[in-house]
Amino acid sequence: MAPLVLITVAYGAGIALAYTGIGVSPAVALAGALVFLVATVWGSWRGKRETPFFLLFCFVFAGYAWAGLSRVAFPPELEPFLGHYVKLRGTIAERPVIYPNRIVFTLQEPTVELAGESRRGPGKIQAAFYFPAGPDGRDESKGAPLQEVSGRQQGENGLREDEGSRLEKLLPGDRVLFQGRLDLPPEAANPGDFNYREYLARRGIVARLEAQGLPVFLGSGEGDLQYLLRRSLSLVRQRVEKGIEEDLHPAQASFLMGVLLGAKEELTPDDREVYQRTGVMHLFAVSGLHLGFVLFFFLALARLLRFGRSSTLFLVAFGVLGYAALVGFPPSVTRAAVMGLTGTVAYLWPRRKSAPASLAFAALVILIFHPGSLFDAGFQLSFAATWGIIYLAGPLGDRLPLPPGWKGAVTVPLGAQLAVLPLLALYFQQIPFLSLVANILVVLLAGLVVNLGLAGMILTLLHQGLAGPFFLTAGALTLPIRGLLDIFAAVPGGTLAAPSPPWFLTAAWFTLLAIFNWSFRSGNEVSFPHFRFRPPARRWLIPSLVGLLLTGFLLVRGIDLSGTPGQLRVTFLNVGQGDAVLVETPGRRSLLVDGGGKPAFSQSSFDPGRQVVVPYLTRRGIRRLDLVVNSHPHEDHLGGLLAVCEKIQVGEVVAPPVKHPTPLWLKFEALLEERGIPLHRVSSGTTLHLDPKVRITFLHPPPSLLTGTRSDLNNNSLVMRLEYGRFGFLLTGDIEQEGMTALVEAVRRGSLSRELLQAVVLKAPHHGSATGIVLEFAALVRPQVVVISVGPNSFGHPSPETLRFWQEQKATVLRTDTDGAVIFETDGKRLILRTGRARDVSHRS
């Protein structure tokens, strides 16, 4: 193995150790690195055999120290400003990113002002401004192309023409002023969710401001060379984007900008799902494919101009680094740029080439400038895919009986897909089995799109009209690409849902892949007259292949390491303002109560069913729900169930006997009929026999539904009780005071047993609203833990009176908006409580 590879691995190991929080300060680690550096020099001078180990330990400590020194923690001096509306001044650090419904700025050198006080802390602050809604309450900016948002058709977005022009003119280096609410970025709310706070922290962003309006321009740093360079790149990119959008249909423009510039902001959730299911999402992460075309273009140009070696290298470096700067130097581009320039030097000045060393050098460069990149999915996927191409594509091409013209077309994507397989399961919970075929067919067309797009990019800088034919042809090619991808995405079984694998399973896959490659490329058996020579490495070929097949099966099947057999697990998911409760019984049956959702008047594109519930079920390895319960058909309980029933196999659905013929409910009924999922209407007295060890009883609504209440739909919600051993869980939907009073009256009449209302865990009625307080009801339930399923809302949920009431009842109150997912596990004798945003575990008996 090349020494540079070992050095990079050691340096990366140090970074990984720094992020585990083992408690060693960066200063101590730096001292350790210096000690081992001295030991390396001494050992080299004295010819000690241990010298290489001293050098590797030096890089381990150096990686640890540099990662610790590079991390930017939230500055304590900004603590008093959190949760308040403040003024924020700062310098735009990078090109503002425009999404369909918002624009996001990253400010460096931030100064926060509140009530005459100001603080200037280290790190950066992200400021987000959400575009105003249209007159009908709908967010008109969704789906609008970049230039429509930034100045061409502002009236459709609720922005005036002067406001759009201001957005278009704001560039890196400009000083701006925002006003808005300052908060910490959100953490992962449910186990396995994307942790946005950690992601921003790795980029040096310590806080987030939701702006009340567009920024006020304060001036620009025209004398700053860095500002001038960033401004020039932003202007070039704006010109390219404007040229693409003026020549193409919005759908084609968003595809071409994604492929050429890595701009994924305009991709819809449906687009992303198609690209992930077919395994071609890498086309929208500018990488070696794109840099390769740029490199060969400038090499051909240098040859045409009869440049010498030094001039050729300068021209290629200018083209490659310029393109990389234009797309923002993401890890995949930086890796490809470093490897491409290293390969160009080796090509111009022939010498011993080492692809692994070039790959390691590229990783080392990125980790020196951005140590936190080690934990980014883009970094890991890019380097894993390249490792697979380097180590696997060649040997597979030498051994597989393929026509010469097809070897590279098959083995390159095959090597890359084998290398990223566990990472696809980890980050996307999907393994696209048809991705090999999709990549072979699509990448050939995508190569033409990239070539035409690159030519258009260069020509549009000279004159806008010159690029039109190239952009139009590239846009036309996106139609067959998308058509092929839609066909592959619709193939049943073409993509398998896969739970997030544990670290040891991922490590086992890469280890077995390396052993298989070592054995596969070690040579063939040679037969002689009296004996047969078999290389020792070949003995590992079949065992490693069997190990890969077994590990691949486990990656798809999943390994459940949480909990122990024979336990009931109840998870209150954080789905924002809504309910979603997952019940997993000791007999491995699964029940989902509600799926979250968004109100019909909401401007948000957030779909908790698609973006929270389905991914969580997949991470848990749940491919089938035996039962889905809709407590009542309000949007924040029903909306997410559509995605659940589309993506997950469902046995049956239960709902209350209420009529609510809204478009959402009618769509849900049509989906159930299309999927052949039976719908049952139930009321009080119904029992479920989902698992013989778990007693499930519906306590409400009564057969004669409540009428004339504050909200008949809420008060006729299904109320269900789960009982396992000594513990009961009471799930109350959105019943209000009238519904709770009806339950108390049923106990008084004797039609409902008092014991059935008692529960150790109570889901607070109606998200903890002020209408959820009835003293007699609380006295009958006597909960030890009250869970409030709530998110950001304009209704005042949870009510301070409700919080105070349950605290006075000596109950522990947990909220999904502050505590994240709330998880209970019980064997019937002991109850274990975990929260998504806390590491401690509490036990109740």
Side-chain angles (χ1 to χ4, degrees):
M1 186 178 293
L4 189 57
V5 175
L6 294 175
I7 287 173
T8 304
V9 171
Y11 183 76
I15 295 174
L17 288 172
Y19 276 83
T20 58
I22 59 178
V24 178
S25 68
V28 172
L30 184 60
L34 293 174
V35 168
F36 278 105
L37 179 61
V38 171
T40 301
V41 175
W42 172 80
S44 178
W45 175 54
R46 299 297 297 270
K48 295 292 184 181
R49 297 173 58 185
E50 297 85 0
T51 301
F53 295 100
F54 294 155
L55 180 62
L56 293 179
F57 276 111
C58 173
F59 273 90
V60 170
F61 279 90
Y64 187 103
W66 184 236
L69 293 171
S70 301
R71 296 180 71 178
V72 180
F74 178 79
E77 55 265 29
L78 292 183
E79 186 77 34
F81 298 88
L82 290 177
H84 296 282
Y85 286 88
V86 302
K87 291 183 178 180
L88 171 65
R89 303 174 189 268
T91 303
I92 299 177
E94 55 194 47
R95 179 179 178 274
V97 181
I98 300 183
Y99 295 89
N101 64 337
R102 68 192 185 279
I103 181 169
V104 178
F105 297 81
T106 300
L107 304 185
Q108 60 188 10
E109 305 169 1
T111 300
V112 181
E113 301 176 7
L114 175 65
E117 295 187 11
S118 66
R119 293 289 188 277
R120 180 174 177 176
K124 305 172 186 176
I125 293 180
Q126 183 186 86
F129 169 65
Y130 288 81
F131 300 127
D136 60 350
R138 184 172 62 90
D139 186 355
E140 296 289 349
S141 66
K142 287 177 183 167
L146 174 63
Q147 295 301 324
E148 292 183 4
V149 172
S150 59
R152 192 149 57 91
Q153 296 180 10
Q154 297 86 356
E156 295 183 7
N157 302 290
L159 296 175
R160 299 190 308 271
E161 184 174 355
D162 60 327
E163 293 177 328
S165 299
R166 286 166 55 195
L167 280 178
E168 192 171 18
K169 293 178 181 178
L170 290 175
L171 296 170
D174 290 341
R175 295 279 301 171
V176 292
L177 167 67
F178 281 97
Q179 295 190 59
R181 179 185 172 95
L182 186 71
D183 284 299
L184 291 174
E187 293 182 283
N190 303 291
D193 277 359
F194 177 70
N195 195 321
Y196 194 53
R197 184 180 297 181
E198 287 186 2
Y199 168 76
L200 292 182
R202 291 196 294 268
R203 299 176 57 200
I205 298 173
V206 297
R208 189 171 186 269
L209 180 127
E210 185 169 332
Q212 290 182 311
L214 291 173
V216 177
F217 177 74
L218 301 178
S220 60
E222 295 183 2
D224 189 339
L225 179 61
Q226 184 182 27
Y227 160 75
L228 292 176
L229 180 60
R230 291 183 178 179
R231 180 183 182 88
S232 300
L233 289 170
S234 295
L235 290 173
V236 169
R237 178 156 178 156
Q238 279 188 3
R239 186 176 178 88
V240 171
E241 290 173 340
K242 185 176 182 180
I244 293 174
E245 290 173 346
E246 287 184 350
D247 291 330
L248 298 179
H249 183 273
Q252 298 175 2
S254 64
F255 187 99
L256 187 58
M257 284 197 294
V259 170
L260 284 179
L261 302 173
K264 298 187 283 290
E265 297 83 20
E266 294 295 328
L267 298 181
T268 67
D270 290 335
D271 291 336
R272 289 175 178 269
E273 184 173 350
V274 169
Y275 302 146
Q276 289 173 4
R277 286 178 62 84
T278 52
V280 300
M281 197 66 189
H282 63 89
L283 292 177
F284 301 90
V286 179
S287 59
L289 174 70
H290 310 71
L291 263 294
F293 290 125
V294 174
L295 189 147
F296 287 118
F297 174 85
F298 283 96
L299 278 176
L301 181 61
R303 179 175 295 181
L304 180 65
L305 297 175
R306 300 181 181 276
F307 279 2
R309 289 188 294 187
S310 299
S311 301
T312 298
L313 179 62
F314 178 81
L315 180 64
V316 170
F318 173 79
V320 168
L321 295 179
Y323 180 68
L326 192 65
V327 299
F329 279 107
S332 58
V333 171
T334 306
R335 184 264 308 158
V338 172
M339 293 188 69
L341 292 178
T342 304
T344 302
V345 172
Y347 169 73
L348 296 174
W349 288 273
R351 61 187 63 189
R352 186 173 179 265
K353 305 173 185 177
S354 174
S358 298
L359 182 64
F361 179 64
L364 188 61
V365 169
I366 294 173
L367 294 178
I368 287 174
F369 284 97
H370 301 287
S373 297
L374 181 66
F375 304 97
D376 287 343
F379 177 92
Q380 296 175 15
L381 288 166
S382 175
F383 279 89
T386 309
W387 176 85
I389 293 171
I390 291 173
Y391 278 92
L392 298 175
L396 289 172
D398 293 338
R399 298 287 189 271
L400 294 179
L402 294 171
W406 282 91
K407 285 189 177 182
V410 173
T411 59
V412 168
L414 177 60
Q417 292 297 318
L418 288 173
V420 301
L421 190 142
L423 299 179
L424 294 176
L426 178 64
Y427 291 114
F428 304 112
Q429 290 81 54
Q430 291 181 348
I431 297 179
F433 283 102
L434 289 178
S435 63
L436 177 61
V437 181
N439 274 275
I440 292 173
L441 296 177
V442 169
V443 169
L444 295 175
L445 291 174
L448 294 176
V449 171
V450 172
N451 274 301
L452 292 166
L454 288 173
M457 286 174 58
I458 295 172
L459 291 174
T460 197
L461 300 180
L462 301 176
H463 190 276
Q464 201 78 39
L466 296 176
F470 293 91
F471 286 151
L472 286 171
T473 307
L477 286 175
T478 64
L479 298 177
I481 290 176
R482 182 56 194 260
L484 284 172
L485 294 178
D486 287 337
I487 292 173
F488 282 118
V491 174
T495 300
L496 288 183
S500 298
W503 68 267
F504 62 84
L505 199 59
T506 302
W509 175 265
F510 284 113
T511 301
L512 289 167
L513 205 58
I515 294 174
F516 175 76
N517 174 66
W518 168 65
S519 177
F520 195 68
R521 67 194 306 172
S522 63
N524 297 317
E525 296 180 358
V526 181
S527 298
F528 293 93
H530 301 292
F531 71 97
R532 182 173 59 182
F533 174 73
R534 186 182 192 187
R538 295 288 289 180
R539 301 171 185 171
W540 291 93
L541 182 63
I542 299 302
S544 61
L545 180 59
V546 173
L548 282 172
L549 293 174
L550 177 60
T551 307
F553 171 77
L554 294 176
L555 284 172
V556 175
R557 177 67 177 82
I559 301 177
D560 185 8
L561 299 176
S562 59
T564 57
Q567 285 194 334
L568 173 70
R569 179 184 173 104
V570 181
T571 304
F572 296 83
L573 291 171
N574 182 325
V575 289
Q577 180 65 12
D579 279 14
V581 185
L582 176 64
V583 179
E584 301 167 76
T585 73
R588 297 192 176 278
R589 308 297 294 274
S590 300
L591 159 69
L592 179 68
V593 182
D594 293 329
K598 60 178 180 180
F601 55 83
S602 172
Q603 301 177 21
S604 173
S605 60
F606 174 64
D607 181 352
R610 181 198 293 260
Q611 296 171 245
V612 176
V613 181
V614 171
Y616 184 79
L617 293 173
T618 306
R619 287 195 296 269
R620 290 289 302 160
I622 298 175
R623 294 184 174 85
R624 172 184 167 83
L625 288 167
D626 298 283
L627 183 67
V628 166
V629 176
N630 174 228
S631 63
H632 65 295
H634 272 156
E635 291 88 347
D636 57 336
H637 295 251
L638 175 64
L641 292 182
L642 274 77
V644 170
C645 292
E646 287 175 353
K647 307 297 180 184
I648 304 292
Q649 184 181 0
V650 174
E652 298 175 290
V653 173
V654 165
V658 297
K659 293 183 179 180
H660 191 61
T662 61
L664 178 63
W665 176 258
L666 295 176
K667 184 177 180 181
F668 183 62
E669 279 189 322
L671 176 62
L672 297 184
E673 184 176 354
E674 176 188 340
R675 300 275 171 155
I677 303 172
L679 171 64
H680 304 286
R681 304 280 189 170
V682 300
S683 56
S684 60
T686 304
T687 59
L688 292 180
H689 303 283
L690 192 65
D691 189 308
K693 296 182 179 179
V694 180
R695 183 183 179 187
I696 303 176
T697 309
F698 289 96
L699 311 181
H700 190 78
S704 299
L705 298 178
L706 303 183
T707 57
T709 67
R710 184 193 306 264
S711 170
D712 290 349
L713 206 59
N714 281 344
N715 282 300
N716 286 305
S717 295
L718 288 175
V719 176
M720 57 188 299
R721 183 178 189 273
L722 313 174
E723 181 181 344
Y724 181 47
R726 297 161 50 187
F727 299 100
F729 297 79
L730 192 63
L731 309 181
T732 57
D734 273 0
I735 60 170
E736 301 178 5
Q737 290 173 341
E738 295 94 334
M740 287 181 278
T741 301
L743 286 167
V744 173
E745 291 297 327
V747 171
R748 289 175 178 169
R749 293 194 306 268
S751 57
L752 176 64
S753 169
R754 178 186 296 265
E755 288 74 19
L756 283 178
L757 268 186
Q758 293 178 358
V760 172
V761 178
L762 169 70
K763 190 202 80 68
H766 199 198
H767 315 290
S769 72
T771 62
I773 300 176
V774 172
L775 184 59
E776 295 86 349
F777 176 80
L780 287 172
V781 179
R782 293 184 297 170
Q784 295 183 27
V785 183
V786 174
V787 180
I788 302 176
S789 187
V790 67
N793 64 89
S794 58
F795 309 111
H797 299 163
S799 165
E801 294 84 357
T802 301
L803 294 174
R804 186 165 51 250
F805 172 79
W806 288 116
Q807 290 167 355
E808 291 172 352
Q809 305 304 311
K810 309 301 182 184
T812 299
V813 179
L814 298 171
R815 299 168 46 171
T816 57
D817 60 339
T818 57
D819 297 299
V822 181
I823 305 170
F824 297 91
E825 293 178 350
T826 177
D827 58 1
K829 301 177 182 178
R830 186 179 66 164
L831 186 67
I832 302 175
L833 162 64
R834 296 186 178 91
T835 60
R837 290 179 178 162
R839 294 185 178 182
D840 57 327
V841 179
S842 59
H843 302 263
R844 295 176 179 273
S845 60

